Structure formats: structure tokens, C-alpha cells
Amino acid sequence: MTVLKSIRDLSGKDVVILFGKSRAGKSTFINDAYREKVAESTGSLTSETQEISYVAQPIRVDDHEVVLVDTVGLGGSGEDHDRASFTWKWLSIFHSGKDRKNTSGPTVKGFLYFIDIMDGAINEDNIRNLETFKALVGEEVLGSVIFVTTKWATKEEQTTRKRLENNFVGWAEKIHLDFPGASILRLDDTTGRLDEEGLNELSPAERTEEEREYHNNAMRVLRQLLQKQATKSILAEKEMNEGGLETGTGNTTSEKAILRHVVTDLKRAAPVGGYFMKYITSAFPFTQRDTRDSGK
């Protein structure tokens, strides 16, 4: 994986951007699509993805060649996995390409937002992740978003399956209400998914067949996304590259939309120490005034 320092690094490329909570399956999806380990993924409590990065070698999906971009997980375990830190990295990537005026940006074909269906019903943290995502990409491109639910139990595991189906209904209702035009689907609906231990118990032939099914599931999602590809620019790209606005000032719609989420996270984290507060107010100078206001 190659760290994405500027959106212009992908000039002329067709791009699919992966979002979602830490450990929701973004990196695993990339590995399934390529049928090899090109992105670090783990089943532990710690997310491996530390930077917004991409696979240098595009993947062919029928007649298309697209670059998959893996983002830092929202609401993860590390200090770089909070919404504020992720947002700063996202905005900086678009801002850093602003000076290359003669270089065209990539064509964003769409967005995949990954949901661990085992994560349970929608809670406040999940809602704020969704709202942050919506603020970053903009409402005009919601029709090119697919929400991908992962970590489904097999149909034989009926008790677990029933609970997950209930989770899916709740997510679907939220998405259809707040993300008009977006789709939601089950990644491993008919197959479920074995963990590494389960895969190791299979014969080589059985493992090959199992992994082929995972690959087919990933390609099915990419094909569906490319059929409803984006026709509008991402909000951050439009504002920063066309409008020339500076990050950290609070002048862009993207920054204003995420401001209340940043402040909420700041207030929640403040009791455990001052590092988080210092980081946010230095990365987002315009939050200093809103942090004072939020105490009212």
C-alpha cells in the first residue's frame, strides 16, 4: 500500500474510496479483491491502517481499471483513529494538491462504506461516523455510495443470523432515510466468512474454493458500484481546489459540517487528559472558539 499524500497523486486514475469504522473489513475486502495480501488486516482489537493509502496497481473490473483507496478507520483503537484526526488527514490530502493547477485530479467512481454487522444496533458513535462521512463527501454524491455489511454468520447459525438480520434492518432504515440514493448490501450473505483459524482447518483445495468465493463477493460489490458511478465532485475537492479555501479556518462547508462532531469528541475525551484537546485545537484552530461556546 502507498500512502496518499495528495489527491493529485492519483491524477488521471479512476478511484473507489473505502470508508468505515476500524476493523469493519476494508483492508480484508481489498485483499479479497486482489486475491493476495496487499493491505494489512487483522482480527485483533487494533486496526492496522494508520494512513490513508492506496494500492498502486489498479484492479481490473470487467472493462474498468480502478484504484482502491483504504482510509483510516473511524472510531478506532489508536490515537490516529478518531474522527478529528481522520478528517484532518482527509482535508489535507485535497488541500495539498491545490497548487498543482495544471494537473487534473482522479475520477472518483464511488464510495464503499463498510459496516461490521456484528457491531450491533446503531448507536451514537455510529451515527456520528455516518454524519462525518456525509459531511466529507457531500450530499451530491450519495447516489454513488454503497454501504457494505460484513462478518455475516452462515445461514446454518440461525440464532446469530436472526440477530444480525435485525441489525441489518436498523442500518437499512437509517441509511435509506439519511442517504437517499445510496444502497446497502450483505457482502458474505450466502457464505458467511471463516476466520484465519477456520481457513487453516480446510484442505488446500477447500481453502482455495473458500477464498475464491470471497473474491467473487468483492468483485460483485465493485461491479455494482461501477454501475452507479459518481457524476459529481467530492465536496472537499470542489471547495479546496476550485474555491481555493484554506483548511483549518472553518470557512469550508466540509469543515463547518464536521465541527460539531469534533467538539463533541473533544468534550468526551477531555476528562482522560489534555492531549486530545491540544491536538484538536492545534489541528483545527477554528474549534478554539467553538470549544469555549460548547461549555455553555
Side-chain angles (χ1 to χ4, degrees):
M1 299 289 288
T2 302
V3 174
L4 182 59
K5 297 180 179 180
S6 167
I7 195 63
R8 301 303 188 191
D9 293 344
L10 299 176
S11 293
K13 306 289 187 182
D14 290 342
V15 174
V16 170
I17 304 177
L18 284 60
F19 284 86
K21 202 170 182 177
S22 295
R23 301 175 60 247
K26 301 183 296 297
S27 299
T28 299
F29 178 89
I30 291 175
N31 292 336
D32 287 345
Y34 278 88
R35 300 195 72 177
E36 61 178 298
K37 188 174 182 179
V38 295
E40 291 294 332
S41 67
T42 177
S44 70
L45 293 177
T46 303
S47 174
E48 296 288 343
T49 306
Q50 303 297 323
E51 299 289 345
I52 299 176
S53 54
Y54 65 97
V55 185
Q57 178 61 44
I59 187 169
R60 176 165 286 278
V61 184
D62 299 328
D63 295 332
H64 299 273
E65 280 196 347
V66 295
V67 174
L68 302 184
V69 177
D70 190 11
T71 61
V72 179
L74 292 166
S77 53
E79 65 180 32
D80 286 337
H81 290 80
D82 56 79
R83 278 176 289 274
S85 179
F86 170 82
T87 300
W88 178 248
K89 291 178 180 180
W90 174 262
L91 296 177
S92 297
I93 283 171
F94 286 94
H95 175 71
S96 62
K98 189 180 64 174
D99 294 334
R100 292 186 239 178
K101 298 183 184 299
N102 296 325
T103 305
S104 62
T107 300
V108 178
K109 293 295 186 179
F111 308 87
L112 299 176
Y113 188 106
F114 287 78
I115 299 168
D116 178 357
I117 201 63
M118 298 284 288
D119 195 30
I122 297 179
N123 55 30
E124 180 186 354
D125 197 55
N126 289 328
I127 290 173
R128 292 217 308 277
N129 283 341
L130 290 172
E131 291 174 342
T132 300
F133 166 67
K134 187 175 183 178
L136 290 174
V137 302
E139 296 191 10
E140 290 186 334
V141 300
L142 296 184
S144 59
V145 175
I146 294 180
F147 290 87
V148 183
T149 57
T150 64
K151 303 185 181 180
W152 282 89
T154 63
K155 291 186 180 295
E156 288 74 23
E157 302 173 82
Q158 294 183 6
T159 301
T160 302
R161 185 78 185 194
K162 183 177 180 180
R163 175 171 60 84
L164 300 185
E165 289 291 352
N166 288 336
N167 292 346
F168 183 84
V169 170
W171 278 100
E173 289 177 349
K174 177 68 175 176
I175 288 166
H176 291 152
L177 178 65
D178 293 348
F179 293 82
S183 305
I184 180 171
L185 52 76
R186 302 165 174 83
L187 178 59
D188 304 306
D189 181 28
T190 59
T191 61
R193 188 183 183 93
L194 297 175
D195 57 19
E196 190 63 29
E197 183 178 350
L199 287 172
N200 289 335
E201 294 176 354
L202 302 177
S203 69
E206 289 173 332
R207 177 164 183 150
T208 297
E209 183 60 31
E210 187 77 11
E211 291 176 339
R212 179 182 294 114
E213 191 66 39
Y214 301 160
H215 168 74
N216 291 340
N217 289 340
M219 298 304 286
R220 171 175 57 87
V221 172
L222 288 172
R223 288 189 180 97
Q224 183 171 333
L225 183 67
L226 292 175
Q227 291 175 358
K228 53 184 296 182
Q229 58 186 264
T231 57
K232 301 285 187 179
S233 298
I234 300 172
L235 182 59
E237 182 177 22
K238 181 189 300 183
E239 292 187 324
M240 294 186 183
N241 294 328
E242 294 180 6
L245 296 177
E246 297 292 333
T247 59
T249 63
N251 289 328
T252 71
T253 302
S254 298
E255 289 178 329
K256 289 177 180 178
I258 61 141
L259 177 56
R260 61 190 179 91
H261 307 303
V262 173
V263 171
T264 300
D265 283 341
L266 176 61
K267 292 174 65 179
R268 183 176 64 174
V272 301
Y275 171 79
F276 190 87
M277 181 178 294
K278 291 179 181 178
Y279 173 79
I280 297 301
T281 54
S282 62
F284 297 92
F286 61 94
T287 63
Q288 295 177 16
R289 61 179 182 272
D290 292 270
T291 302
R292 293 191 296 269
D293 294 342
S294 65
K296 295 180 180 180

